[in-house]
Amino acid sequence: MNITSGIVPKPQKTVIYGVEGIGKTTFASQFPDPVFIDTEDSTLYLNVKRFDKPTSWEMLLQQVDYVKANRPCKTLVIDTMDWAEELCKKHLMQKNGWNAIDATGYGARYVALSGEIGGLLNKLSEVIEVGINVVITAHAWLRKKEEPDEMGAYDRYELKLEKKTAPLVKEWADMVLFANYKTLILTDEKTNSKKATGGQRVMYTTHRPTWDAKNRLGLPDELPFEYSQIAQAFIKATTPATPATPVSESTQSVEPKDAEIADQNLGPIPPEQPEPVHQPDPAPEFTEEIPSSIPQNIADLMKINHVTVDEIVQTIYKGGFMPADTPLENIPDDLWDYLATNWNNTLVFIQGNLRK
């Protein structure tokens, strides 16, 4: 039974949300060595590393799995979570034949949505476990908040996510930062009129009735919305301390004369050579042309997994979905949707029946 004490540095799970245009993506790009899963093309104006824009929920999950397995960065950024949630909704609607995500069946569809989002958060926790920070960005919106023990209601900023998924994201995070423009109200003493001025970009790091925020780094309640304001605390929280090298008694007791004799007897000590690091061979580039009759979400999954057009066609034919002479243009949309939402099973079929 082992008992330890002290601060244990570890990668951080960070959520950054704020009003439109405040600079969430730019802020996230300044975390250590980031790679973006850009769900809404918000990084196109930044010189950053990014995956192809995910066109399906399955594609996004595979990108997260790739980061865990290959560790191509020090920080994984999902930008933004609300657009990722939309991919998840589309996935569930296609998979279950729903027209919308609503409260039908006592909220069963929202429960299914929160289950999928929870699965994504579990994958992101696995990314944390291999030593990679995770940053999630999201938009903010105003919702009416009613307290049962108080009179009236008030507006508060919240993550722009469904009511069952927003708490999951907040609880998962080590740090939730809310970014907004700070506006000052000036009063004209002569006319008693008021006008707004300012517009400084700030971030809030602790909870208030009108917004959600938290941190475990001891940050001030309010800071300018700049990564440099949290950089030192973030590095301290994620970087293990370098232990001092102990000096052995034998080294302390050797007189200079004895040390010279030892050197003469042993001869020159060759410099220590680092062990060679084996670099895995890069995967061959997938160059096959995919016809436009195959939907984009299927095409993207095919590229990631190096699935050929012939393999996807044979899956449709040998799987008994369509007659063997059916042209690609006549494959119905609902069959493509089925293959996309069951992509893991599609891969299993291809590997087990077509790649023997």
Side-chain angles (χ1 to χ4, degrees), residues 157-217:
Y157 285 100
E158 296 182 357
L159 291 166
K160 193 178 180 182
L161 299 170
E162 296 293 348
K163 288 185 176 181
K164 284 188 178 294
T165 56
L168 293 177
V169 175
K170 290 185 295 184
E171 291 166 9
W172 168 87
D174 297 314
M175 180 165 54
V176 178
L177 304 176
F178 169 58
N180 201 357
Y181 294 100
K182 187 173 184 179
T183 304
L184 301 176
I185 305 298
L186 302 180
T187 302
D188 189 318
E189 295 181 356
K190 294 182 179 179
T191 63
N192 201 32
S193 61
K194 300 185 186 324
K195 66 176 181 178
T197 186
Q200 178 188 3
R201 296 185 307 156
V202 298
M203 57 180 160
Y204 301 98
T205 69
T206 54
H207 178 82
R208 290 291 183 272
T210 49
W211 62 74
D212 286 315
K214 67 177 182 179
N215 81 93
R216 296 170 179 169
L217 308 183

Side-chain angles (χ1 to χ4, degrees), residues 39-40 80-87 137-139 160-161:
T39 62
E40 55 175 88
T80 61
M81 190 63 176
D82 32 305
W83 281 56
E85 186 185 57
E86 289 302 316
L87 286 176
T137 70
H139 295 92
K160 193 178 180 182
L161 299 170

Side-chain angles (χ1 to χ4, degrees), residues 6-179:
I7 298 173
V8 179
K10 71 176 187 66
Q12 294 292 295
K13 298 176 285 188
T14 304
V15 172
I16 305 163
Y17 77 110
V19 297
E20 186 75 27
I22 192 88
K24 300 179 290 294
T25 303
T26 301
F27 188 94
S29 71
Q30 296 169 8
F31 279 76
D33 186 25
V35 164
F36 279 75
I37 296 178
D38 184 354
T39 62
E40 55 175 88
D41 289 335
S42 55
T43 66
L44 298 185
Y45 64 96
L46 294 174
N47 184 18
V48 297
K49 296 184 291 184
R50 66 182 71 83
F51 287 101
D52 292 339
K53 179 180 178 180
T55 52
S56 67
W57 182 243
E58 297 81 3
M59 184 175 176
L60 188 150
L61 295 179
Q62 288 199 356
Q63 290 170 342
V64 174
D65 288 337
Y66 178 89
V67 172
K68 176 189 171 185
N70 296 275
R71 306 183 192 184
C73 60
K74 294 180 181 177
T75 304
L76 171 63
V77 183
I78 295 184
D79 186 33
T80 61
M81 190 63 176
D82 32 305
W83 281 56
E85 186 185 57
E86 289 302 316
L87 286 176
C88 186
K89 289 179 181 178
K90 182 179 179 181
H91 164 78
L92 288 172
M93 289 161 58
Q94 291 176 343
K95 182 177 181 179
N96 298 287
W98 299 338
N99 293 324
I101 297 288
D102 53 29
T104 304
Y106 302 98
R109 297 184 183 182
Y110 288 120
V111 171
L113 177 64
S114 63
E116 289 285 343
I117 297 296
L120 170 61
L121 296 176
N122 289 339
K123 284 181 177 289
L124 295 176
S125 293
E126 293 172 359
V127 171
I128 290 286
E129 290 171 4
V130 300
I132 298 173
N133 303 298
V134 176
V135 174
I136 291 174
T137 70
H139 295 92
W141 62 2
L142 279 171
R143 272 180 167 168
K144 190 70 69 178
K145 178 71 172 179
E146 296 188 16
E147 300 289 355
D149 55 346
E150 296 180 11
M151 295 295 291
Y154 57 90
D155 289 331
R156 72 190 307 267
Y157 285 100
E158 296 182 357
L159 291 166
K160 193 178 180 182
L161 299 170
E162 296 293 348
K163 288 185 176 181
K164 284 188 178 294
T165 56
L168 293 177
V169 175
K170 290 185 295 184
E171 291 166 9
W172 168 87
D174 297 314
M175 180 165 54
V176 178
L177 304 176
F178 169 58

